[in-house]
Amino acid sequence: MVSNWNKEEIICAGKSAEMRSKMADYKKSVVYQIYPKSFYDSNHDGLGDLRGVIEKLDYIGELGVDYIWLTPFFVSPQNDNGYDVEDYYRIDPRYGTMDDLEELIRGADRRGICLMLDMVFNHTSSRHEWFQKALAGDEKYKNYYIFRKGKGGKEAPTNWESKFGGSAWEYVPEMDEFYLHLFDVSQPDLNWDNEEVREEIRKILLFWMEKGVKGFRFDVVNLISKGEFADDMDGDGRKYYTDGPNIHRYLKELNELTFGRDAEIVTVGEMSSTSMENCFQYAGEDSGELSMVFNFHHLKVDFMGDEKWVLVPADFMKLKKILFSWQEGMEEHHAWNAVFWCNHDQPRVVSRFGSEGKYWKESAKMLATVIHGMRGTPYIYQGEELGMTNAGFTHISQYRDVESLNHFRILQEKGLTEGDAYRILQIHSRDNGRTPMQWEEGANGGFTDAVPWIEVNGNCKEINAAQQRMDGDSIFHYYRELVRLRKKYDVISYGSFQALDEENPSVLAYRRTHEGQELVVICNFYEKEMDWKSPVSLQGFQRLLGNYEEREAKDEMKLKPYEAVILWKKAE
Ligand code: TEU
């Protein structure tokens, strides 16, 4: 499609044709996610900021990534760390200014990196002007949100639960009505069935596109189209609003009227509790919706069904099955995955599926290998490339996340002891992934010289960027190598996926093939050594990368603790 504005004015237009086509090719790209609040504090107030990101651009450039996904920095009361947006057009002064953002776009561009913004359009903050007008009785704006009469008066319209605990409905006495909030009470859901709302959203996207932004991540975007408002007899209500009735129509419309007009723009939708069938469309090559999708099914293998606030050991066979089925299913339907372990909502993967102990480094590298060898666009979440671990908080005063604070209370109301509630938080809290980036071994890990908004992990002495940049065998350098390989070998970026040895209870292995090239990835998920017999011949393969020095490609191998190896064979 032809763009409707002058491309010369877009900052990315300064790139060479070669660089530009590289940028548009998200199948060869890697995205680095930054949670600015915890990345680097440049102005000594204990909060990370945009200038902090600018100062660290060389570090990000060194990793070789193509996009920076920045989580929301818009004006916000920060009840949900910026996922509660008060003004979509302005930058929260705590994060910086529009000049800072423009400088960041230019600085990233000089390093061949584009910016991906995080757009939260399922809900706004209750402090947003639209919601304030709605509360003041303005009918136009009331229809921007979802207000309903209660059942027989003061009982919520449906029994749906908020993702952060409690009812998804809030009563407004002055109106004698309830409004829907699938997340915090301060995050009212927008009414996408109202054409005026969709128009406002398009205006916001066009505004940021004009700034030279080349990517968008859409927050919980598969929840925007609500279906029937009915009680859910066997769940929390999600079946009524997940992948809802008009979702594909709304995404197609958004694509057509905004980002679809610029072929260089990459989009990713965060899909909550989605189905693969819907993702075939969301991220289908010819669907005209999004470039790719995040799904979270593989990150629920330590849940009980959909219930996160429990302690359940991770189920490796289930993990494998889910990862493989999404790899195969999406490929079969010409659709594209975002592949990832970590983000700002997830615990640290090395603590979760690897080891914090003796094999910390090996297991972090092994987990990286699993993701970066797959078909899809890999996402690296800040600190993952250093093998950062869970927070290790022991007191509720250390936690900041609204979801954790709510559930700490709810778990005890349900009868759990305080000790058990702590044990669950230590495993599942989103704050595990939000402790500040560990830059160096000094005070506060070099993140700030003020009091950080959330405590820095005490292990910054051992785990930090300064040390790992100097050490060629570090996790950091391993990630660099993975990123480099994706660009160099088409079989990694474009290859077809085939699961290997699916029933093996300890090893995750797969094969990729592309125009005569073959790649085999073998990963031992356990500390125990494993005898592994390859179901395909490995004759003629050579080792591209692995987390142990020595490894010859043989059909039968004794895999070392948490061993990972990528083998490759040239076209005949
Ligand atoms: O998250 C959506 C979401 O549902 C989760 O991943 C959520 O953190 C999880 O269900 C909690 O158990 C997105 C954002 O990534 C998250 O940070 C926001 O809090 C949420 O949307 C609301 O905007």
Side-chain angles (χ1 to χ4, degrees):
M1 247 189 194
V2 183
S3 159
N4 64 346
W5 60 82
N6 182 353
K7 279 206 167 166
E8 293 314 307
E9 284 175 12
I10 302 172
I11 287 164
C12 283
K15 285 180 180 286
S16 65
E18 191 194 352
M19 182 87 91
R20 256 198 264 171
S21 67
K22 181 203 102 180
M23 284 161 24
D25 187 359
Y26 54 84
K27 297 188 178 172
K28 270 214 168 298
S29 298
V30 177
V31 183
Y32 187 75
Q33 184 195 349
I34 294 186
Y35 198 65
K37 202 171 190 170
S38 296
F39 194 60
Y40 183 60
D41 173 20
S42 75
N43 64 348
H44 324 287
D45 62 358
L47 299 175
D49 43 57
L50 295 179
R51 298 215 66 81
V53 181
I54 296 173
E55 286 188 34
K56 297 294 184 185
L57 276 174
D58 280 340
Y59 172 84
I60 302 161
E62 234 177 286
L63 265 176
V65 298
D66 308 271
Y67 290 86
I68 294 174
W69 153 22
L70 273 180
T71 62
F73 46 72
F74 311 105
V75 170
S76 155
Q78 299 285 323
N79 285 345
D80 188 19
N81 284 344
Y83 283 90
D84 44 335
V85 181
E86 183 177 333
D87 185 341
Y88 292 95
Y89 295 97
R90 286 194 303 132
I91 293 172
D92 195 310
R94 282 171 281 199
Y95 288 120
T97 63
M98 195 60 91
D99 284 347
D100 294 334
L101 184 77
E102 285 170 359
E103 191 179 325
L104 174 56
I105 295 175
R106 284 194 301 272
D109 178 59
R110 278 198 296 277
R111 292 161 177 90
I113 301 172
C114 283
L115 230 59
M116 177 186 269
L117 298 197
D118 199 331
M119 308 312 290
V120 190
F121 290 140
N122 174 67
H123 44 267
T124 68
S125 160
S126 52
R127 294 241 297 255
H128 195 289
E129 189 190 356
W130 302 336
F131 194 69
Q132 288 299 314
K133 286 185 174 161
L135 287 183
D138 185 328
E139 281 302 319
K140 170 181 160 81
Y141 289 102
K142 211 179 138 194
N143 197 28
Y144 272 37
Y145 294 91
I146 300 171
F147 282 90
R148 289 285 184 281
K149 285 275 174 223
K151 272 191 282 201
K154 297 225 170 64
E155 196 192 329
T158 68
N159 65 351
W160 301 358
E161 282 168 34
S162 150
K163 308 254 180 202
F164 292 163
S167 168
W169 295 96
E170 180 71 6
Y171 182 63
V172 184
E174 298 74 32
M175 300 169 102
D176 191 28
E177 279 188 75
F178 290 76
Y179 68 84
L180 180 70
H181 61 90
L182 294 182
F183 293 88
D184 188 52
V185 58
S186 65
Q187 294 167 299
D189 280 51
L190 282 166
N191 174 16
W192 274 69
D193 294 333
N194 179 351
E195 160 62 27
E196 283 177 288
V197 168
R198 304 205 301 280
E199 171 77 40
E200 297 270 13
I201 284 163
R202 297 198 289 268
K203 258 174 55 193
I204 296 165
L205 284 174
L206 292 171
F207 173 85
W208 290 106
M209 281 165 66
E210 297 241 359
K211 295 265 173 223
V213 163
K214 286 292 168 193
F216 294 109
R217 177 246 188 207
F218 293 106
D219 191 62
V220 289
V221 73
N222 67 325
L223 309 185
I224 57 175
S225 169
K226 273 70 177 174
E228 196 192 342
F229 288 88
D231 279 338
D232 187 350
M233 291 318 180
D234 43 33
D236 59 7
R238 70 184 71 193
K239 72 175 179 206
Y240 289 110
Y241 55 74
T242 304
D243 303 320
N246 294 313
I247 182 67
H248 297 289
R249 178 158 78 82
Y250 294 158
L251 285 177
K252 281 187 173 61
E253 179 185 79
L254 202 60
N255 175 317
E256 203 178 311
L257 301 176
T258 63
F259 54 81
R261 297 179 172 192
D262 181 348
E264 289 177 359
I265 289 188
V266 166
T267 53
V268 54
E270 187 201 27
M271 303 303 176
S272 172
S273 302
T274 190
S275 73
M276 211 193 295
E277 289 66 34
N278 275 290
C279 289
F280 297 156
Q281 284 194 63
Y282 294 141
E285 218 156 75
D286 302 317
S287 327
E289 296 187 18
L290 302 170
S291 315
M292 62 187 117
V293 282
F294 292 116
N295 87 81
F296 296 89
H297 295 288
H298 65 297
L299 297 175
K300 293 185 178 178
V301 296
D302 51 2
F303 286 17
M304 197 177 280
D306 280 324
E307 182 50 48
K308 160 172 167 172
W309 300 99
V310 290
L311 280 188
V312 174
D315 183 337
F316 173 66
M317 293 310 276
K318 202 164 153 191
L319 176 74
K320 234 172 41 156
K321 211 171 161 178
I322 294 170
L323 286 173
F324 289 171
S325 67
W326 278 80
Q327 284 286 300
E328 287 163 357
M330 292 290 273
E331 179 179 346
E332 199 181 318
H333 290 82
H334 309 286
W336 197 250
N337 282 307
V339 286
F340 71 105
W341 290 125
C342 298
N343 66 28
H344 62 291
D345 295 331
Q346 299 294 329
R348 293 286 179 179
V349 70
V350 70
S351 306
R352 190 175 193 177
F353 299 139
S355 159
E356 289 184 3
K358 186 169 166 204
Y359 294 105
W360 160 74
K361 193 197 277 189
E362 288 77 7
S363 64
K365 290 180 179 178
M366 181 278 288
L367 290 161
T369 313
V370 173
I371 290 297
H372 287 256
M374 281 187 169
R375 179 182 179 277
T377 299
Y379 283 65
I380 304 171
Y381 174 61
Q382 65 181 50
E384 177 188 338
E385 75 283 11
L386 304 174
M388 274 177 62
T389 61
N390 278 351
F393 291 159
T394 50
H395 194 266
I396 195 64
S397 61
Q398 296 171 291
Y399 286 94
R400 297 287 175 271
D401 179 24
V402 55
E403 186 195 46
S404 300
L405 300 175
N406 285 349
H407 281 282
F408 185 66
R409 179 179 40 78
I410 293 168
L411 286 170
Q412 291 176 81
E413 281 165 10
K414 282 185 180 160
L416 263 72
T417 64
E418 191 183 81
D420 283 342
Y422 272 130
R423 293 208 306 137
I424 294 177
L425 245 55
Q426 279 159 2
I427 299 288
H428 289 301
S429 168
R430 304 195 296 181
D431 283 336
N432 283 314
R434 297 179 180 184
T435 63
M437 182 71 179
Q438 296 170 201
W439 294 106
E440 53 193 46
E441 64 169 36
N444 292 326
F447 162 69
T448 182
D449 51 16
V451 179
W453 72 278
I454 187 169
E455 272 176 46
V456 177
N457 194 313
N459 63 17
C460 64
K461 280 193 199 63
E462 298 81 43
I463 303 178
N464 63 71
Q467 185 271 325
Q468 293 199 26
R469 273 169 110 172
M470 305 292 290
D471 170 7
D473 184 45
S474 64
I475 300 169
F476 175 78
H477 282 285
Y478 194 87
Y479 269 85
R480 285 186 72 193
E481 197 51 21
L482 287 168
V483 174
R484 195 185 66 82
L485 292 177
R486 172 159 297 256
K487 302 199 182 314
K488 182 165 175 203
Y489 293 94
D490 282 354
V491 65
I492 302 186
S493 32
Y494 307 124
S496 172
F497 179 94
Q498 188 196 338
L500 294 180
D501 199 10
E502 281 167 86
E503 299 309 319
N504 191 305
S506 326
V507 177
L508 185 152
Y510 55 86
R511 181 158 83 135
R512 309 281 312 279
T513 47
H514 182 73
E515 295 178 353
Q517 287 185 53
E518 264 185 74
L519 190 89
V520 170
V521 177
I522 308 156
C523 296
N524 177 10
F525 262 71
Y526 290 84
E527 188 170 329
K528 221 170 138 236
E529 288 196 330
M530 273 308 144
D531 288 317
W532 193 71
K533 190 170 170 345
S534 175
V536 293
S537 164
L538 295 178
Q539 212 188 352
F541 276 77
Q542 69 185 72
R543 171 189 179 279
L544 278 191
L545 187 66
N547 56 359
Y548 287 88
E549 280 285 299
E550 299 299 320
R551 171 54 69 205
E552 241 183 284
K554 288 203 187 127
D555 291 348
E556 286 186 39
M557 303 188 236
K558 190 179 258 315
L559 299 175
K560 299 194 172 73
Y562 294 104
E563 178 162 1
V565 62
I566 304 182
L567 303 172
W568 174 75
K569 190 173 157 182
K570 274 198 214 109
E572 297 292 311

